[in-house]
Amino acid sequence: MPNLLNEEIAASLKGRDFLALADFKPEEIRWLIDLAIELKRKSKAGEVYQPLKGKTLGMIFEKSSTRTRVSFEVGMYQLGGYALFLSRNDLQLGRGETISDTAQTMSRYLDGIMIRTYAHRTVIELARTATIPVINGLTDYAHPCQALADYQTILEHKGRLEGLKIAYIGDGNNMVHSLLVGAAKLGLHMSVASPEGYEPDAELIRQMQETCSETGASIRVVREPREAIEDADVVYTDVWASMGFEAEQEERAKAFARYQVNEELVQYAKPDFVFMHCLPAHRGEEVSPGVIDGKHSIVFDEAENRLHAQKAIMAAIMA
């Protein structure tokens, strides 16, 4: 992979925060994907690669997690470092200490911080005040680590990214925001179908459409799932009520009733389409069991790649 020999890109990533894909150039994102694939190869071959030996990552969790916690913790261990799990109740954040004071204090102890929280401004404030790299493990606005793993997974299964079509069916949430940025920067075509009132952020769409003019990508937001999924190479969905929106579950179930990804809908995708979901999934709601457990589903390859993509992020910015 010649990209990995690009010392200029490697140097540009060192010491950076990883808050959103929008902060990175297309060639930097692609370099991270290639690095993730190489680190995955090393792991499968049993090769030891420990650029973070002796380094420590603090992991702040204000939202519970399966994939984020396990993949970061295991990834840090495999890279030779140590990951420290910190819930809100473990920190003085739970008693009112400011994010700024927390950031400055943790910067004296750690080599990096990963945070999984609600408000995106919390991550921005943490990164602004910290003197060590900060990684966004998820906010209500963006999920860049998942998106990086997703594009790694698509590349592995399709052999390319440029020119492919992604159809996203469902809520215009943090997941679709990060996927849209990746599509625009990496040259994919993406169609999003969401009910009225649940579309992706309009300003983000405008910004990414400007990026599309430079990369040859395209973005569309439509109302009808069938229109979005027509001839798609990749079909993607997420839960109808993300974490923090559980009180809206009943209301959202009505709004999204026509947006289930099921056997009837995927007939309009390409015959060799792949199905993706960031998990956890609610079978029988946003996706039918026949699709998520069917032959086109690559959701567990996608989940595995969280480990490798995040190892690439940590190795690039913390080593």
mmCIF file of all heavy atoms in Angstrom, residues 22-64:
data_model
loop_
_atom_site.group_PDB
_atom_site.id
_atom_site.type_symbol
_atom_site.label_atom_id
_atom_site.label_comp_id
_atom_site.label_asym_id
_atom_site.label_seq_id
_atom_site.Cartn_x
_atom_site.Cartn_y
_atom_site.Cartn_z
ATOM 1 N N ALA A 22 -14.869 15.579 8.829
ATOM 2 C CA ALA A 22 -14.812 16.850 8.108
ATOM 3 C C ALA A 22 -13.510 17.600 8.363
ATOM 4 O O ALA A 22 -13.126 18.466 7.573
ATOM 5 C CB ALA A 22 -16.004 17.725 8.491
ATOM 6 N N ASP A 23 -12.805 17.268 9.446
ATOM 7 C CA ASP A 23 -11.555 17.944 9.791
ATOM 8 C C ASP A 23 -10.370 17.428 8.983
ATOM 9 O O ASP A 23 -9.271 17.976 9.088
ATOM 10 C CB ASP A 23 -11.242 17.753 11.276
ATOM 11 C CG ASP A 23 -12.320 18.327 12.185
ATOM 12 O OD1 ASP A 23 -12.989 19.284 11.764
ATOM 13 O OD2 ASP A 23 -12.494 17.810 13.308
ATOM 14 N N PHE A 24 -10.586 16.374 8.177
ATOM 15 C CA PHE A 24 -9.473 15.715 7.500
ATOM 16 C C PHE A 24 -9.605 15.792 5.981
ATOM 17 O O PHE A 24 -10.711 15.773 5.440
ATOM 18 C CB PHE A 24 -9.385 14.249 7.942
ATOM 19 C CG PHE A 24 -9.040 14.104 9.396
ATOM 20 C CD1 PHE A 24 -10.035 14.143 10.371
ATOM 21 C CD2 PHE A 24 -7.731 13.971 9.805
ATOM 22 C CE1 PHE A 24 -9.726 14.036 11.715
ATOM 23 C CE2 PHE A 24 -7.406 13.864 11.152
ATOM 24 C CZ PHE A 24 -8.403 13.900 12.103
ATOM 25 N N LYS A 25 -8.470 15.856 5.313
ATOM 26 C CA LYS A 25 -8.439 15.851 3.852
ATOM 27 C C LYS A 25 -8.762 14.448 3.349
ATOM 28 O O LYS A 25 -8.521 13.455 4.055
ATOM 29 C CB LYS A 25 -7.054 16.270 3.364
ATOM 30 C CG LYS A 25 -6.637 17.673 3.758
ATOM 31 C CD LYS A 25 -5.200 17.944 3.327
ATOM 32 C CE LYS A 25 -4.740 19.322 3.776
ATOM 33 N NZ LYS A 25 -3.323 19.573 3.432
ATOM 34 N N PRO A 26 -9.278 14.341 2.115
ATOM 35 C CA PRO A 26 -9.577 13.003 1.568
ATOM 36 C C PRO A 26 -8.395 12.054 1.627
ATOM 37 O O PRO A 26 -8.551 10.881 1.982
ATOM 38 C CB PRO A 26 -9.977 13.317 0.122
ATOM 39 C CG PRO A 26 -10.536 14.698 0.178
ATOM 40 C CD PRO A 26 -9.713 15.416 1.203
ATOM 41 N N GLU A 27 -7.193 12.547 1.302
ATOM 42 C CA GLU A 27 -6.022 11.670 1.303
ATOM 43 C C GLU A 27 -5.642 11.230 2.715
ATOM 44 O O GLU A 27 -5.090 10.134 2.901
ATOM 45 C CB GLU A 27 -4.834 12.353 0.617
ATOM 46 C CG GLU A 27 -4.406 13.678 1.215
ATOM 47 C CD GLU A 27 -5.070 14.887 0.573
ATOM 48 O OE1 GLU A 27 -6.197 14.749 0.051
ATOM 49 O OE2 GLU A 27 -4.444 15.971 0.602
ATOM 50 N N GLU A 28 -5.957 12.038 3.721
ATOM 51 C CA GLU A 28 -5.685 11.635 5.098
ATOM 52 C C GLU A 28 -6.648 10.551 5.544
ATOM 53 O O GLU A 28 -6.253 9.591 6.227
ATOM 54 C CB GLU A 28 -5.783 12.850 6.021
ATOM 55 C CG GLU A 28 -4.680 13.871 5.804
ATOM 56 C CD GLU A 28 -4.880 15.156 6.593
ATOM 57 O OE1 GLU A 28 -6.049 15.495 6.903
ATOM 58 O OE2 GLU A 28 -3.875 15.826 6.896
ATOM 59 N N ILE A 29 -7.919 10.678 5.168
ATOM 60 C CA ILE A 29 -8.907 9.652 5.514
ATOM 61 C C ILE A 29 -8.548 8.334 4.848
ATOM 62 O O ILE A 29 -8.573 7.267 5.479
ATOM 63 C CB ILE A 29 -10.327 10.096 5.105
ATOM 64 C CG1 ILE A 29 -10.728 11.376 5.859
ATOM 65 C CG2 ILE A 29 -11.337 8.987 5.369
ATOM 66 C CD1 ILE A 29 -12.028 11.983 5.382
ATOM 67 N N ARG A 30 -8.194 8.401 3.563
ATOM 68 C CA ARG A 30 -7.849 7.175 2.838
ATOM 69 C C ARG A 30 -6.580 6.539 3.433
ATOM 70 O O ARG A 30 -6.461 5.318 3.526
ATOM 71 C CB ARG A 30 -7.666 7.472 1.352
ATOM 72 C CG ARG A 30 -7.344 6.228 0.511
ATOM 73 C CD ARG A 30 -8.406 5.129 0.718
ATOM 74 N NE ARG A 30 -7.956 3.879 0.156
ATOM 75 C CZ ARG A 30 -8.317 3.434 -1.057
ATOM 76 N NH1 ARG A 30 -9.131 4.151 -1.808
ATOM 77 N NH2 ARG A 30 -7.878 2.274 -1.500
ATOM 78 N N TRP A 31 -5.627 7.366 3.869
ATOM 79 C CA TRP A 31 -4.409 6.857 4.496
ATOM 80 C C TRP A 31 -4.753 6.097 5.776
ATOM 81 O O TRP A 31 -4.195 5.022 6.034
ATOM 82 C CB TRP A 31 -3.469 8.024 4.801
ATOM 83 C CG TRP A 31 -2.081 7.634 5.209
ATOM 84 C CD1 TRP A 31 -0.993 7.482 4.398
ATOM 85 C CD2 TRP A 31 -1.627 7.372 6.548
ATOM 86 N NE1 TRP A 31 0.113 7.141 5.149
ATOM 87 C CE2 TRP A 31 -0.236 7.061 6.474
ATOM 88 C CE3 TRP A 31 -2.241 7.369 7.799
ATOM 89 C CZ2 TRP A 31 0.520 6.760 7.591
ATOM 90 C CZ3 TRP A 31 -1.480 7.059 8.919
ATOM 91 C CH2 TRP A 31 -0.114 6.760 8.814
ATOM 92 N N LEU A 32 -5.672 6.641 6.566
ATOM 93 C CA LEU A 32 -6.084 5.959 7.798
ATOM 94 C C LEU A 32 -6.769 4.633 7.492
ATOM 95 O O LEU A 32 -6.567 3.641 8.200
ATOM 96 C CB LEU A 32 -7.019 6.861 8.610
ATOM 97 C CG LEU A 32 -6.359 8.010 9.370
ATOM 98 C CD1 LEU A 32 -7.420 8.972 9.897
ATOM 99 C CD2 LEU A 32 -5.486 7.492 10.508
ATOM 100 N N ILE A 33 -7.590 4.605 6.438
ATOM 101 C CA ILE A 33 -8.248 3.351 6.045
ATOM 102 C C ILE A 33 -7.212 2.315 5.630
ATOM 103 O O ILE A 33 -7.275 1.142 6.029
ATOM 104 C CB ILE A 33 -9.254 3.609 4.908
ATOM 105 C CG1 ILE A 33 -10.436 4.446 5.419
ATOM 106 C CG2 ILE A 33 -9.760 2.285 4.319
ATOM 107 C CD1 ILE A 33 -11.367 4.931 4.325
ATOM 108 N N ASP A 34 -6.241 2.735 4.820
ATOM 109 C CA ASP A 34 -5.191 1.810 4.398
ATOM 110 C C ASP A 34 -4.379 1.309 5.600
ATOM 111 O O ASP A 34 -3.992 0.140 5.661
ATOM 112 C CB ASP A 34 -4.261 2.490 3.400
ATOM 113 C CG ASP A 34 -4.914 2.687 2.032
ATOM 114 O OD1 ASP A 34 -5.930 2.026 1.767
ATOM 115 O OD2 ASP A 34 -4.395 3.496 1.238
ATOM 116 N N LEU A 35 -4.123 2.209 6.557
ATOM 117 C CA LEU A 35 -3.401 1.800 7.760
ATOM 118 C C LEU A 35 -4.221 0.784 8.558
ATOM 119 O O LEU A 35 -3.680 -0.202 9.066
ATOM 120 C CB LEU A 35 -3.072 3.016 8.622
ATOM 121 C CG LEU A 35 -2.352 2.728 9.942
ATOM 122 C CD1 LEU A 35 -1.028 2.005 9.709
ATOM 123 C CD2 LEU A 35 -2.121 4.024 10.730
ATOM 124 N N ALA A 36 -5.536 1.012 8.659
ATOM 125 C CA ALA A 36 -6.406 0.071 9.375
ATOM 126 C C ALA A 36 -6.355 -1.311 8.739
ATOM 127 O O ALA A 36 -6.294 -2.336 9.440
ATOM 128 C CB ALA A 36 -7.840 0.600 9.388
ATOM 129 N N ILE A 37 -6.367 -1.354 7.416
ATOM 130 C CA ILE A 37 -6.300 -2.635 6.707
ATOM 131 C C ILE A 37 -4.963 -3.320 6.964
ATOM 132 O O ILE A 37 -4.886 -4.539 7.168
ATOM 133 C CB ILE A 37 -6.547 -2.422 5.202
ATOM 134 C CG1 ILE A 37 -8.014 -2.016 4.971
ATOM 135 C CG2 ILE A 37 -6.216 -3.683 4.403
ATOM 136 C CD1 ILE A 37 -8.323 -1.581 3.552
ATOM 137 N N GLU A 38 -3.879 -2.537 6.987
ATOM 138 C CA GLU A 38 -2.558 -3.109 7.248
ATOM 139 C C GLU A 38 -2.456 -3.611 8.691
ATOM 140 O O GLU A 38 -1.883 -4.694 8.947
ATOM 141 C CB GLU A 38 -1.474 -2.070 6.967
ATOM 142 C CG GLU A 38 -0.071 -2.488 7.339
ATOM 143 C CD GLU A 38 0.453 -3.703 6.576
ATOM 144 O OE1 GLU A 38 -0.200 -4.142 5.599
ATOM 145 O OE2 GLU A 38 1.501 -4.233 6.970
ATOM 146 N N LEU A 39 -2.998 -2.857 9.641
ATOM 147 C CA LEU A 39 -2.960 -3.305 11.040
ATOM 148 C C LEU A 39 -3.814 -4.555 11.238
ATOM 149 O O LEU A 39 -3.484 -5.417 12.064
ATOM 150 C CB LEU A 39 -3.420 -2.184 11.964
ATOM 151 C CG LEU A 39 -2.525 -0.942 12.019
ATOM 152 C CD1 LEU A 39 -3.044 0.041 13.065
ATOM 153 C CD2 LEU A 39 -1.078 -1.321 12.314
ATOM 154 N N LYS A 40 -4.900 -4.664 10.493
ATOM 155 C CA LYS A 40 -5.730 -5.865 10.540
ATOM 156 C C LYS A 40 -4.930 -7.064 10.016
ATOM 157 O O LYS A 40 -4.975 -8.156 10.597
ATOM 158 C CB LYS A 40 -6.998 -5.658 9.714
ATOM 159 C CG LYS A 40 -7.973 -6.819 9.736
ATOM 160 C CD LYS A 40 -9.229 -6.465 8.943
ATOM 161 C CE LYS A 40 -10.264 -7.570 8.985
ATOM 162 N NZ LYS A 40 -11.501 -7.178 8.250
ATOM 163 N N ARG A 41 -4.198 -6.843 8.910
ATOM 164 C CA ARG A 41 -3.377 -7.919 8.353
ATOM 165 C C ARG A 41 -2.336 -8.381 9.376
ATOM 166 O O ARG A 41 -2.131 -9.584 9.581
ATOM 167 C CB ARG A 41 -2.680 -7.437 7.074
ATOM 168 C CG ARG A 41 -1.862 -8.538 6.381
ATOM 169 C CD ARG A 41 -0.840 -7.966 5.440
ATOM 170 N NE ARG A 41 0.200 -7.202 6.118
ATOM 171 C CZ ARG A 41 1.209 -7.754 6.800
ATOM 172 N NH1 ARG A 41 1.300 -9.071 6.923
ATOM 173 N NH2 ARG A 41 2.111 -6.984 7.387
ATOM 174 N N LYS A 42 -1.660 -7.406 10.018
ATOM 175 C CA LYS A 42 -0.665 -7.744 11.022
ATOM 176 C C LYS A 42 -1.272 -8.553 12.160
ATOM 177 O O LYS A 42 -0.689 -9.536 12.631
ATOM 178 C CB LYS A 42 -0.034 -6.462 11.585
ATOM 179 C CG LYS A 42 0.945 -5.747 10.664
ATOM 180 C CD LYS A 42 1.489 -4.509 11.344
ATOM 181 C CE LYS A 42 2.478 -3.760 10.460
ATOM 182 N NZ LYS A 42 3.724 -4.529 10.238
ATOM 183 N N SER A 43 -2.466 -8.130 12.608
ATOM 184 C CA SER A 43 -3.128 -8.819 13.710
ATOM 185 C C SER A 43 -3.468 -10.258 13.341
ATOM 186 O O SER A 43 -3.227 -11.186 14.126
ATOM 187 C CB SER A 43 -4.399 -8.053 14.102
ATOM 188 O OG SER A 43 -5.070 -8.697 15.158
ATOM 189 N N LYS A 44 -4.017 -10.445 12.135
ATOM 190 C CA LYS A 44 -4.393 -11.792 11.694
ATOM 191 C C LYS A 44 -3.167 -12.679 11.532
ATOM 192 O O LYS A 44 -3.243 -13.898 11.711
ATOM 193 C CB LYS A 44 -5.158 -11.715 10.370
ATOM 194 C CG LYS A 44 -6.454 -10.913 10.417
ATOM 195 C CD LYS A 44 -7.543 -11.613 11.190
ATOM 196 C CE LYS A 44 -8.862 -10.855 11.068
ATOM 197 N NZ LYS A 44 -9.925 -11.471 11.894
ATOM 198 N N ALA A 45 -2.036 -12.073 11.171
ATOM 199 C CA ALA A 45 -0.804 -12.840 10.969
ATOM 200 C C ALA A 45 -0.048 -13.072 12.268
ATOM 201 O O ALA A 45 0.992 -13.740 12.277
ATOM 202 C CB ALA A 45 0.092 -12.109 9.967
ATOM 203 N N GLY A 46 -0.544 -12.492 13.363
ATOM 204 C CA GLY A 46 0.123 -12.661 14.644
ATOM 205 C C GLY A 46 1.351 -11.793 14.814
ATOM 206 O O GLY A 46 2.178 -12.040 15.702
ATOM 207 N N GLU A 47 1.496 -10.776 13.980
ATOM 208 C CA GLU A 47 2.650 -9.876 14.079
ATOM 209 C C GLU A 47 2.440 -8.882 15.222
ATOM 210 O O GLU A 47 1.364 -8.301 15.357
ATOM 211 C CB GLU A 47 2.852 -9.119 12.771
ATOM 212 C CG GLU A 47 3.175 -10.000 11.580
ATOM 213 C CD GLU A 47 3.365 -9.199 10.305
ATOM 214 O OE1 GLU A 47 3.713 -7.996 10.398
ATOM 215 O OE2 GLU A 47 3.158 -9.764 9.218
ATOM 216 N N VAL A 48 3.449 -8.672 16.023
ATOM 217 C CA VAL A 48 3.375 -7.722 17.129
ATOM 218 C C VAL A 48 3.742 -6.331 16.614
ATOM 219 O O VAL A 48 4.777 -6.146 15.969
ATOM 220 C CB VAL A 48 4.331 -8.123 18.269
ATOM 221 C CG1 VAL A 48 4.311 -7.078 19.378
ATOM 222 C CG2 VAL A 48 3.933 -9.493 18.813
ATOM 223 N N TYR A 49 2.873 -5.370 16.879
ATOM 224 C CA TYR A 49 3.101 -3.984 16.470
ATOM 225 C C TYR A 49 2.659 -3.108 17.630
ATOM 226 O O TYR A 49 1.463 -3.000 17.918
ATOM 227 C CB TYR A 49 2.300 -3.670 15.205
ATOM 228 C CG TYR A 49 2.421 -2.227 14.742
ATOM 229 C CD1 TYR A 49 3.617 -1.726 14.251
ATOM 230 C CD2 TYR A 49 1.311 -1.383 14.799
ATOM 231 C CE1 TYR A 49 3.717 -0.411 13.826
ATOM 232 C CE2 TYR A 49 1.410 -0.060 14.373
ATOM 233 C CZ TYR A 49 2.618 0.412 13.883
ATOM 234 O OH TYR A 49 2.720 1.720 13.468
ATOM 235 N N GLN A 50 3.618 -2.514 18.335
ATOM 236 C CA GLN A 50 3.295 -1.800 19.572
ATOM 237 C C GLN A 50 3.908 -0.390 19.593
ATOM 238 O O GLN A 50 4.778 -0.080 20.409
ATOM 239 C CB GLN A 50 3.757 -2.611 20.781
ATOM 240 C CG GLN A 50 3.037 -3.941 20.911
ATOM 241 C CD GLN A 50 3.334 -4.647 22.212
ATOM 242 O OE1 GLN A 50 4.427 -4.543 22.755
ATOM 243 N NE2 GLN A 50 2.355 -5.361 22.730
ATOM 244 N N PRO A 51 3.406 0.502 18.733
ATOM 245 C CA PRO A 51 3.929 1.870 18.718
ATOM 246 C C PRO A 51 3.514 2.695 19.929
ATOM 247 O O PRO A 51 4.054 3.774 20.150
ATOM 248 C CB PRO A 51 3.338 2.452 17.434
ATOM 249 C CG PRO A 51 2.037 1.715 17.276
ATOM 250 C CD PRO A 51 2.348 0.312 17.735
ATOM 251 N N LEU A 52 2.529 2.193 20.698
ATOM 252 C CA LEU A 52 2.049 2.946 21.862
ATOM 253 C C LEU A 52 2.504 2.323 23.180
ATOM 254 O O LEU A 52 1.870 2.527 24.221
ATOM 255 C CB LEU A 52 0.520 3.055 21.825
ATOM 256 C CG LEU A 52 -0.071 3.747 20.598
ATOM 257 C CD1 LEU A 52 -1.570 3.921 20.743
ATOM 258 C CD2 LEU A 52 0.595 5.097 20.346
ATOM 259 N N LYS A 53 3.601 1.588 23.148
ATOM 260 C CA LYS A 53 4.106 0.959 24.360
ATOM 261 C C LYS A 53 4.397 2.025 25.415
ATOM 262 O O LYS A 53 5.092 3.008 25.165
ATOM 263 C CB LYS A 53 5.370 0.159 24.052
ATOM 264 C CG LYS A 53 5.793 -0.769 25.181
ATOM 265 C CD LYS A 53 6.896 -1.704 24.722
ATOM 266 C CE LYS A 53 7.252 -2.695 25.819
ATOM 267 N NZ LYS A 53 8.306 -3.642 25.387
ATOM 268 N N GLY A 54 3.822 1.846 26.609
ATOM 269 C CA GLY A 54 4.028 2.784 27.700
ATOM 270 C C GLY A 54 3.091 3.974 27.700
ATOM 271 O O GLY A 54 3.153 4.814 28.595
ATOM 272 N N LYS A 55 2.199 4.039 26.717
ATOM 273 C CA LYS A 55 1.257 5.164 26.637
ATOM 274 C C LYS A 55 -0.107 4.765 27.200
ATOM 275 O O LYS A 55 -0.467 3.586 27.223
ATOM 276 C CB LYS A 55 1.116 5.659 25.202
ATOM 277 C CG LYS A 55 2.397 6.315 24.667
ATOM 278 C CD LYS A 55 2.201 6.896 23.297
ATOM 279 C CE LYS A 55 3.485 7.559 22.788
ATOM 280 N NZ LYS A 55 3.745 8.832 23.472
ATOM 281 N N THR A 56 -0.876 5.769 27.628
ATOM 282 C CA THR A 56 -2.158 5.516 28.285
ATOM 283 C C THR A 56 -3.265 6.349 27.648
ATOM 284 O O THR A 56 -3.087 7.540 27.384
ATOM 285 C CB THR A 56 -2.075 5.852 29.787
ATOM 286 O OG1 THR A 56 -0.996 5.138 30.369
ATOM 287 C CG2 THR A 56 -3.363 5.472 30.496
ATOM 288 N N LEU A 57 -4.407 5.706 27.430
ATOM 289 C CA LEU A 57 -5.598 6.362 26.892
ATOM 290 C C LEU A 57 -6.678 6.404 27.958
ATOM 291 O O LEU A 57 -7.050 5.366 28.512
ATOM 292 C CB LEU A 57 -6.124 5.597 25.669
ATOM 293 C CG LEU A 57 -7.416 6.132 25.049
ATOM 294 C CD1 LEU A 57 -7.144 7.398 24.240
ATOM 295 C CD2 LEU A 57 -8.071 5.064 24.152
ATOM 296 N N GLY A 58 -7.171 7.584 28.285
ATOM 297 C CA GLY A 58 -8.316 7.705 29.177
ATOM 298 C C GLY A 58 -9.593 7.646 28.364
ATOM 299 O O GLY A 58 -9.737 8.358 27.364
ATOM 300 N N MET A 59 -10.540 6.790 28.750
ATOM 301 C CA MET A 59 -11.786 6.611 28.004
ATOM 302 C C MET A 59 -12.958 7.092 28.860
ATOM 303 O O MET A 59 -13.328 6.446 29.837
ATOM 304 C CB MET A 59 -11.981 5.138 27.633
ATOM 305 C CG MET A 59 -10.816 4.516 26.872
ATOM 306 S SD MET A 59 -11.216 2.856 26.258
ATOM 307 C CE MET A 59 -11.674 2.008 27.780
ATOM 308 N N ILE A 60 -13.535 8.237 28.491
ATOM 309 C CA ILE A 60 -14.655 8.814 29.234
ATOM 310 C C ILE A 60 -15.963 8.354 28.595
ATOM 311 O O ILE A 60 -16.205 8.603 27.406
ATOM 312 C CB ILE A 60 -14.596 10.350 29.223
ATOM 313 C CG1 ILE A 60 -13.289 10.842 29.848
ATOM 314 C CG2 ILE A 60 -15.798 10.934 29.967
ATOM 315 C CD1 ILE A 60 -13.092 12.346 29.757
ATOM 316 N N PHE A 61 -16.808 7.692 29.371
ATOM 317 C CA PHE A 61 -18.087 7.198 28.862
ATOM 318 C C PHE A 61 -19.240 7.853 29.612
ATOM 319 O O PHE A 61 -19.496 7.536 30.770
ATOM 320 C CB PHE A 61 -18.171 5.673 29.016
ATOM 321 C CG PHE A 61 -17.392 4.914 27.983
ATOM 322 C CD1 PHE A 61 -16.049 4.630 28.188
ATOM 323 C CD2 PHE A 61 -17.987 4.495 26.812
ATOM 324 C CE1 PHE A 61 -15.314 3.945 27.242
ATOM 325 C CE2 PHE A 61 -17.276 3.795 25.849
ATOM 326 C CZ PHE A 61 -15.923 3.521 26.065
ATOM 327 N N GLU A 62 -19.931 8.760 28.940
ATOM 328 C CA GLU A 62 -21.190 9.294 29.454
ATOM 329 C C GLU A 62 -22.372 8.541 28.844
ATOM 330 O O GLU A 62 -23.493 8.657 29.330
ATOM 331 C CB GLU A 62 -21.284 10.787 29.168
ATOM 332 C CG GLU A 62 -20.244 11.587 29.920
ATOM 333 C CD GLU A 62 -20.465 13.080 29.859
ATOM 334 O OE1 GLU A 62 -20.677 13.609 28.747
ATOM 335 O OE2 GLU A 62 -20.450 13.726 30.916
ATOM 336 N N LYS A 63 -22.099 7.785 27.769
ATOM 337 C CA LYS A 63 -23.083 6.874 27.174
ATOM 338 C C LYS A 63 -22.528 5.461 27.264
ATOM 339 O O LYS A 63 -21.325 5.243 27.057
ATOM 340 C CB LYS A 63 -23.319 7.216 25.693
ATOM 341 C CG LYS A 63 -24.201 8.413 25.438
ATOM 342 C CD LYS A 63 -24.492 8.535 23.943
ATOM 343 C CE LYS A 63 -25.502 9.629 23.651
ATOM 344 N NZ LYS A 63 -25.838 9.680 22.211
ATOM 345 N N SER A 64 -23.392 4.494 27.539
ATOM 346 C CA SER A 64 -22.949 3.104 27.623
ATOM 347 C C SER A 64 -22.553 2.603 26.233
ATOM 348 O O SER A 64 -22.891 3.204 25.217
ATOM 349 C CB SER A 64 -24.058 2.230 28.201
ATOM 350 O OG SER A 64 -25.223 2.308 27.396
#
